Amino acid sequence: MGRVFTSNPLSLSVPDPAFESWLRDSGYLEVLDNSSSSSSAAANTTASTTSTTVTRGILHYLWTLVYLFTVNPFSKLTTDDFSAATPSWTREFLGFLDSYAFPSSPETLRLRVLENVKRYARNYASLFILFFACSLYQMPLALVGLLSCLALWDFFKFSNERWKLDQYPVIRQILIRIAQCATVVILICLNVQMALFSAFAVSYAVMLLHAAFRKLTPAKQISRGRSSR
């Protein structure tokens, strides 16, 4: 990374790890992404087009894709990320064609995934709800099972308030256990768990691919775009 900046007599020599740490703390992670992409592009232009170079390039791309499934995208996710405002779906989340690029290294991939999941947490959550609704539409029995469970617990709440079951804790605990067993039976028999699993699998794959290939955008530019709206 030090090759990106030209040396001058008045500048201080800062180690690359310390400089990258400062970029992360300052919110300029896109500088790391852009510098890694530019150095990778320069290396590709100077490399010869031999069979060995092509093989190494293919192995590099394959290793980067394999490394994608070893990254935990939720390691830096917090509850504050869901309480923030939802980024724009068109300008910020989707972006343009030049907003996407193959990560130049596994480190760049990990940097993108962790930061994009934090930035677009509400967008990914909305996609999961959308995929789950589509799964319920494709599996009507699962929708019936989910509505049956909601109706069962709503009836239990009504009964608890109507007959004041709080005064009879033993009977109340027995009814709760019966309702829990009935809920499990309904969910399993009507394949509600399959609809939930398929929605989670699709949304998780979409989240990983988008977070890995979506280049980091300046955080300050995003904040200015939100304030202008």
Side-chain angles (χ1 to χ4, degrees):
M1 183 178 299
R3 294 190 299 270
V4 180
F5 303 93
T6 58
S7 59
N8 61 80
L10 300 179
S11 64
L12 297 177
S13 178
V14 181
D16 282 353
F19 183 62
E20 293 178 4
S21 178
W22 177 83
L23 288 176
R24 291 187 178 94
D25 296 338
S26 304
Y28 291 97
L29 292 174
E30 69 280 355
V31 177
L32 293 176
D33 192 1
N34 293 334
S35 62
S36 300
S37 300
S38 59
S39 61
S40 177
N44 291 334
T45 55
T46 56
S48 58
T49 58
T50 60
S51 59
T52 305
T53 304
V54 174
T55 303
R56 289 179 179 177
I58 295 176
L59 292 178
H60 168 72
Y61 288 132
L62 290 178
W63 166 243
T64 303
L65 291 177
V66 171
Y67 184 79
L68 175 61
F69 297 97
T70 64
V71 178
N72 180 14
F74 309 113
S75 59
K76 293 186 177 181
L77 193 64
T78 60
T79 55
D80 295 336
D81 299 325
F82 292 97
S83 60
T86 304
S88 173
W89 285 91
T90 55
R91 184 170 53 184
E92 298 176 17
F93 183 74
L94 293 178
F96 303 95
L97 292 178
D98 57 353
S99 300
Y100 298 88
F102 198 92
S104 58
S105 64
E107 290 76 14
T108 304
L109 183 144
R110 183 177 182 275
L111 178 68
R112 286 184 183 179
V113 170
L114 295 180
E115 180 63 20
N116 283 329
V117 168
K118 286 178 64 66
R119 291 185 181 183
Y120 307 115
R122 292 175 63 91
N123 301 89
Y124 296 137
S126 301
L127 287 178
F128 170 75
I129 296 175
L130 176 63
F131 292 144
F132 184 58
C134 294
S135 299
L136 293 177
Y137 178 78
Q138 295 292 332
M139 305 172 64
L141 288 179
L143 178 61
V144 172
L146 183 62
L147 295 177
S148 300
C149 293
L150 295 177
L152 175 63
W153 285 102
D154 189 66
F155 176 75
F156 176 79
K157 180 181 178 182
F158 171 79
S159 302
N160 186 41
E161 297 175 353
R162 176 67 176 80
W163 289 292
K164 301 184 183 302
L165 297 178
D166 294 335
Q167 300 178 0
Y168 310 96
V170 177
I171 298 178
R172 186 174 182 273
Q173 289 296 325
I174 293 175
L175 292 178
I176 289 177
R177 296 296 182 266
I178 294 175
Q180 290 176 345
C181 294
T183 301
V184 172
V185 171
I186 293 174
L187 293 178
I188 294 177
C189 293
L190 298 183
N191 291 329
V192 178
Q193 78 282 0
M194 292 302 300
L196 185 64
F197 175 77
S198 60
F200 177 79
V202 174
S203 60
Y204 186 79
V206 171
M207 179 190 67
L208 278 184
L209 293 176
H210 177 269
F213 289 93
R214 180 68 163 89
K215 294 193 295 186
L216 297 178
T217 54
K220 292 185 177 181
Q221 180 180 354
I222 294 177
S223 61
R224 287 198 299 265
R226 292 177 183 173
S227 60
S228 64
R229 294 196 301 273

